[in-house]
Amino acid sequence: MQAEGGATRSSSRRERLADAAAELFRRYGYPAVSVADIAAAVGVTGPALYRHFKGKQAILAHVLLNGMDALAAVVDEASVTFAGKPQKALDRIVERQAELSVAHRDISALWRWQGMHLEDADRRRLRKRGGAMLGQWSQLLVRVRPGLSPADADLLCWAAFSVFGSVAVHHASLPKRRFEQLLVTLADAVLSATLPTGADDTEDAGGDESWRAVPAEPSRREELLSVATRLFHQRGFHAVSMEDIGAAAGMAGPSVYRHFDSKASIMLAAAYRMADGLEVDVRRALAAATDPADALHRIVASYVDFVANSDGVAMQYGQELAAVAERHRTELRKRQRDYVAHWVRLLRTLRPEVSEAQARITVHAALTVINDLPRTRSVRTRPALAAELTELAMTVLTAAGRTNVESPG
């Protein structure tokens, strides 16, 4: 009995360590958290932690792989419980995914932003499990919508998965049940979406695009900014050195210092450049729009275009900006909030019944669909992806008013 109790206590402490680490990683970023920080959060010593995990990388792997297993279990359970009833199975998956997303926003945040810190073997395992889960989900969707190709079903399931994952990128909230209902509504809309057919013609959505033309030979400073931003996005700010940036740009590491005095200054310049570009896009969209619906569509299309032409980097102003002065962090976060506020204001103009919190959650879901899908291997090479992203984002935005989740009960 003592051995059993000891094993239970050991298992409990292991999970407490994992939970504490997940919260610290989410709040401060993986590189900024030490083993001592995790141990202290649970009230144990550093050596005691190593009795449960090899190190903080092993804890991160444990948290992410268990989280993915929980999502896969949802799909398995629904498929078995509703064998022969694909629509009911699909409904169960969406409902349970919404519940898990609201209950464990921290896990979604880790999967999205800290997975790059895993060892290669663990990253492959995570990707394999996620792909298998999405594949099973996609097969159910094809059974519900027989006219849908497997590739299109994959796209829609990844988009729905992004809707659920979007809860990790903002702090807007609703009462638990209402939050879940809203996510279900948005995900159902995506899974029911009709994708555009034919050539990708979203470049016409914003009118004259000649202003987007760039010099045939960008300056070395601009080249360094583009290269560094891509590397930060792929590996994380802390894992990239000035030498890495110089090598990727075809120049010696010390030469980078002629243009930027530090890695943090590159991050800061890239973040301001992105904010400036998005503000210009908003102004142009609003000036050319004929009504609020047209304005929202133009802003969505311009953001799709921005993501497509920024090395796939829609940087989040968060942990990665910890290296820059507080005044810059404050300013950049304000500009990010202001950009999102344009989307929220237009959405609420079109859907007055949608609350501020609903609108913010919905807007972040649409933005996350646009940010995520170009990074997904099975999706990024689709020839009409820009048109599809615009359509899917608009589908999410227009779904917000279909169910009044603010109503009692």
Side-chain angles (χ1 to χ4, degrees), residues 80-393:
V80 171
T81 302
F82 298 105
K85 299 177 180 178
Q87 183 62 66
K88 285 187 175 294
L90 204 60
D91 291 343
R92 172 66 68 87
I93 290 169
V94 170
E95 290 167 4
R96 290 288 293 124
Q97 293 265 24
E99 292 170 6
L100 287 173
S101 297
V102 172
H104 302 287
R105 293 174 81 163
D106 55 338
I107 303 302
S108 181
L110 292 178
W111 180 80
R112 289 172 56 77
W113 305 117
Q114 308 302 331
M116 66 180 68
H117 300 296
L118 292 173
E119 292 183 348
D120 288 343
D122 287 329
R123 194 180 302 116
R124 286 193 296 270
R125 271 195 289 273
L126 184 66
R127 189 179 299 123
K128 182 178 179 180
R129 294 183 192 182
M133 183 269 294
L134 260 294
Q136 194 175 351
W137 191 4
S138 177
Q139 290 171 13
L140 281 171
L141 183 58
V142 170
R143 291 175 62 193
V144 171
R145 300 181 59 184
L148 207 60
S149 73
D152 287 352
D154 283 348
L155 174 70
L156 297 182
C157 287
W158 277 116
F161 196 50
S162 292
V163 167
F164 296 125
S166 68
V167 302
V169 304
H170 63 85
H171 300 290
S173 191
L174 290 166
K176 179 177 178 291
R177 182 55 183 154
R178 296 173 188 173
F179 200 165
E180 293 168 358
Q181 288 173 343
L182 177 57
L183 293 178
V184 167
T185 297
L186 302 182
D188 279 344
V190 165
L191 294 173
S192 301
T194 300
L195 295 170
T197 57
D200 185 348
D201 58 0
T202 55
E203 65 272 13
D204 295 333
D208 180 10
E209 293 288 317
S210 61
W211 60 275
R212 290 192 185 276
V214 297
E217 295 183 4
S219 69
R220 292 299 270 169
R221 177 183 169 84
E222 286 297 309
E223 185 178 3
L224 285 168
L225 274 178
S226 294
V227 166
T229 305
R230 184 172 65 250
L231 291 176
F232 293 155
H233 183 69
Q234 292 171 347
R235 305 180 194 173
F237 176 78
H238 296 278
V240 177
S241 68
M242 292 290 266
E243 289 71 24
D244 293 332
I245 295 168
M251 58 194 297
S255 299
V256 178
Y257 289 96
R258 297 175 189 168
H259 305 276
F260 297 97
D261 60 10
S262 68
K263 190 170 63 166
S265 68
I266 301 179
M267 168 71 77
L268 189 60
Y272 273 114
R273 184 178 67 167
M274 187 186 88
D276 290 342
L278 293 176
E279 287 175 7
V280 168
D281 280 348
V282 167
R283 288 197 297 271
R284 291 184 180 275
L286 293 175
T290 56
D291 55 41
D294 184 40
L296 185 59
H297 189 276
R298 286 174 181 273
I299 288 178
V300 169
S302 73
Y303 187 71
V304 169
D305 184 63
F306 180 87
V307 170
N309 290 286
S310 60
D311 296 317
V313 181
M315 292 172 55
Q316 300 294 318
Y317 304 146
Q319 297 157 354
E320 301 289 34
L321 287 178
V324 307
E326 176 62 29
R327 64 185 178 87
H328 290 302
R329 293 201 299 273
T330 300
E331 170 64 17
L332 286 166
R333 287 174 183 138
K334 179 182 181 301
R335 293 178 71 174
Q336 184 185 45
R337 288 193 299 269
D338 289 346
Y339 179 73
V340 171
H342 286 296
W343 290 54
V344 170
R345 178 175 55 82
L346 287 169
L347 176 56
R348 296 196 69 201
T349 299
L350 294 169
R351 301 275 184 170
E353 72 278 14
V354 174
S355 72
E356 177 78 16
Q358 278 181 266
R360 286 181 58 205
I361 291 167
T362 301
V363 164
H364 279 292
L367 287 166
T368 302
V369 168
I370 297 171
N371 291 337
D372 276 2
L373 293 186
R375 296 159 45 198
T376 304
R377 290 183 178 183
S378 62
V379 168
R380 66 174 63 131
T381 57
R382 292 175 67 94
L385 182 59
E388 292 167 341
L389 289 176
T390 302
E391 180 63 29
L392 288 170

Side-chain angles (χ1 to χ4, degrees), residues 46-69:
L49 180 148
Y50 287 105
R51 290 200 289 270
H52 302 278
F53 294 100
K54 290 190 299 182
K56 70 172 187 175
Q57 198 171 47
I59 302 177
L60 179 64
H62 172 81
V63 170
L64 293 183
L65 289 168
N66 278 8
M68 188 59 72
D69 285 346

